[in-house]
Amino acid sequence: MKPRILYTKPSITELEVRYATDAVANGWGDRCYDYIHRFEAAFATHLGSTFAVATSSCTGALHLGMAALGIGDGDEVILADTNWIASVSPIAHLGATPVFVDVLPDTWCIDPEMVERAITPRTKAILAVHLYGNLCEMERLLAIGDRHGIPVIEDAAEAIGSQYYGKRAGSMGRFGAFSFHGTKTLTTGEGGMFVTDDADLYERVLTLSNHGRAKGQTKQFWPDMVGFKFKMSNVQAAMGCGQLERIDDLVNRKRAVFHAYRDGLSDLPMVRMNPDGGNIVNGAWMPTVVFDRDSAVTRERMQAAFKDENIDARVFFYPLSGLPMFKPEPGNIHAWDIPGRAINLPSFHDITDDEQERVIGVVRCLAGAGS
Ligand SMILES: *Cc1c(COP(=O)(O)O)cnc(C)c1O
């Protein structure tokens, strides 16, 4: 058996170890928020956003932000059918109804035309998820939001390092949410970030994130409302500070891994990969291969071929509306069709050229092309 190639793996250096060790040894008492505040400030600066709140996860950041926007019973939130469950679960927990629309065939992100058609008097938000680091068409989505008076929210969990006409993913909507889960480009093990330019929304999220205890409240143990407990620890934030100092290296390496795959597969007409270039920069969280419909290459064939080579490739997200707890929307043609002929390739920071060659070899073999 050939050595295993993992799908993702964080890049942790002496810097993160040093900061985390300092937080464990000294980050208590008067210093118990030092790394948290430092991480929030540095993240806001990196993104070009005014405010940032560190959270326990991206799911938590989305939940806080949607709660702060007042989304609840009877409301609708429009999002792409192609998505990870984390984007939709806060909507469900808040008692709102997710409205799943189709994706565009080239970016695999939400189709603005379908968004416009899905708007009703109950629509309270449009959730733009930048899938795999690919970018949603923010200009069109923001214009639709403006026209109907509906906020556009960005789930940028997979899009740190991605830019749209020079603006960073997560900085363009009413608020943005990021994930620092162990599989993401920047990691704290578990963790997330809420970002916004809206001062009122920031205050509400801050209060909600701390069990409803407002910042200016002088009474001890006095919540003013029922909130949540979605905070990040100082030790995690210390790791985050180290990772954020290395963000250019982390993103550039992701992009280099993606470009190596793209170059190794560019002569295969039946294979499509993530878009990059022109007015967008793809943070390249997840290099993805989509075979043409008439190639006869299926997800199952790809999974078997990668398994034979001891390579941990992962399936493309199933349409959320195909899950048992939601109403099926098979009319979302691309969202229901693409996963059956797509696969995600391993792309961790320290992957070697030889390992990438092995991955490329499997895809080329499936395509019936020589290496
Ligand atoms: C990873 C991910 C999340 C969830 O992040 P957590 O930090 O695990 O809550 C949300 N949305 C997308 C698109 C993701 O990829």
Side-chain angles (χ1 to χ4, degrees):
M1 198 67 156
K2 289 184 184 160
R4 181 110 174 121
I5 302 178
L6 291 172
Y7 157 72
T8 64
K9 204 165 35 171
S11 165
I12 303 298
T13 65
E14 208 273 318
L15 181 66
E16 290 88 338
V17 172
R18 185 150 50 84
Y19 285 173
T21 305
D22 177 53
V24 172
N26 307 307
W28 310 103
D30 286 348
R31 298 185 50 194
C32 71
Y33 297 118
D34 283 7
Y35 279 108
I36 297 172
H37 292 153
R38 185 167 143 192
F39 186 36
E40 289 172 339
F43 198 86
T45 302
H46 168 74
L47 214 66
S49 291
T50 317
F51 306 104
V53 181
T55 57
S56 52
S57 69
C58 177
T59 314
L62 288 167
H63 203 145
L64 289 170
M66 290 191 214
L69 284 177
I71 293 169
D73 276 336
D75 295 335
E76 293 173 356
V77 177
I78 301 172
L79 74 163
D81 206 348
T82 300
N83 256 316
W84 175 228
I85 187 75
S87 305
V88 71
S89 60
I91 301 170
H93 284 305
L94 287 168
T97 304
V99 176
F100 301 113
V101 299
D102 207 0
V103 294
L104 293 166
D106 50 349
T107 62
W108 323 315
C109 289
I110 196 163
D111 182 342
E113 204 176 306
M114 297 301 152
V115 170
E116 185 124 46
R117 280 194 216 167
I119 289 174
T120 75
R122 292 169 181 272
T123 308
K124 283 287 149 42
I126 299 162
L127 178 56
V129 185
H130 304 296
L131 197 85
Y132 300 145
N134 304 353
L135 287 133
C136 295
E137 293 195 3
M138 287 306 291
E139 199 176 308
R140 287 176 68 193
L141 292 174
L142 290 168
I144 292 167
D146 276 351
R147 205 154 51 239
H148 296 271
I150 299 167
V152 177
I153 305 168
E154 290 178 272
D155 178 345
E158 304 179 356
I160 197 163
S162 293
Q163 295 179 42
Y164 176 87
Y165 291 82
K167 292 198 178 121
R168 291 193 177 275
S171 72
M172 294 171 274
R174 180 70 62 85
F175 74 80
F178 288 84
S179 173
F180 310 129
H181 179 255
T183 56
K184 300 290 170 24
T185 301
L186 185 163
T187 192
T188 59
E190 293 280 1
M193 193 72 80
F194 168 91
V195 298
T196 188
D197 291 329
D198 180 329
D200 292 338
L201 193 65
Y202 166 70
E203 288 295 335
R204 283 203 295 283
V205 163
L206 210 55
T207 301
L208 282 173
S209 76
N210 193 21
H211 270 318
R213 294 186 289 171
K215 205 171 158 191
Q217 178 56 260
T218 49
K219 268 160 95 174
Q220 290 181 333
F221 297 129
W222 188 266
D224 291 292
M225 63 183 84
V226 176
F228 301 91
K229 188 66 195 298
F230 290 156
K231 298 196 339 172
M232 177 182 278
S233 76
N234 200 49
V235 176
Q236 289 169 301
M239 252 187 92
C241 286
Q243 291 263 286
L244 195 54
E245 282 182 33
R246 298 178 52 226
I247 190 63
D248 290 342
D249 172 41
L250 294 175
V251 171
N252 289 340
R253 179 63 190 140
K254 275 286 198 181
R255 285 177 52 73
V257 169
F258 164 58
H259 289 149
Y261 282 135
R262 201 179 56 175
D263 293 348
L265 301 168
S266 60
D267 62 317
L268 306 178
M270 66 180 70
V271 168
R272 193 192 274 272
M273 291 195 74
N274 317 57
D276 186 29
N279 290 315
I280 65 145
V281 176
N282 196 315
W285 176 61
M286 189 57 62
T288 303
V289 162
V290 180
F291 273 85
D292 272 1
R293 204 171 281 119
D294 38 60
S295 68
V297 176
T298 62
R299 168 179 54 215
E300 288 67 30
R301 267 186 66 194
M302 288 190 263
Q303 284 184 280
F306 279 109
K307 190 158 177 262
D308 284 349
E309 285 293 316
N310 206 17
I311 295 169
D312 184 16
R314 296 285 172 101
V315 300
F316 193 95
F317 292 136
Y318 295 100
L320 291 175
S321 78
L323 298 175
M325 52 285 200
F326 300 114
K327 181 164 129 308
E329 301 285 357
N332 293 332
I333 293 167
H334 301 301
W336 281 60
D337 169 57
I338 293 169
R341 46 192 174 87
I343 200 109
N344 293 319
L345 307 179
S347 66
F348 55 93
H349 188 269
D350 295 322
I351 193 168
T352 64
D353 292 350
D354 285 351
E355 287 172 325
Q356 285 206 268
E357 279 309 317
R358 277 176 56 199
V359 175
I360 289 167
V362 173
V363 179
R364 295 189 68 83
C365 185
L366 282 158
S371 47

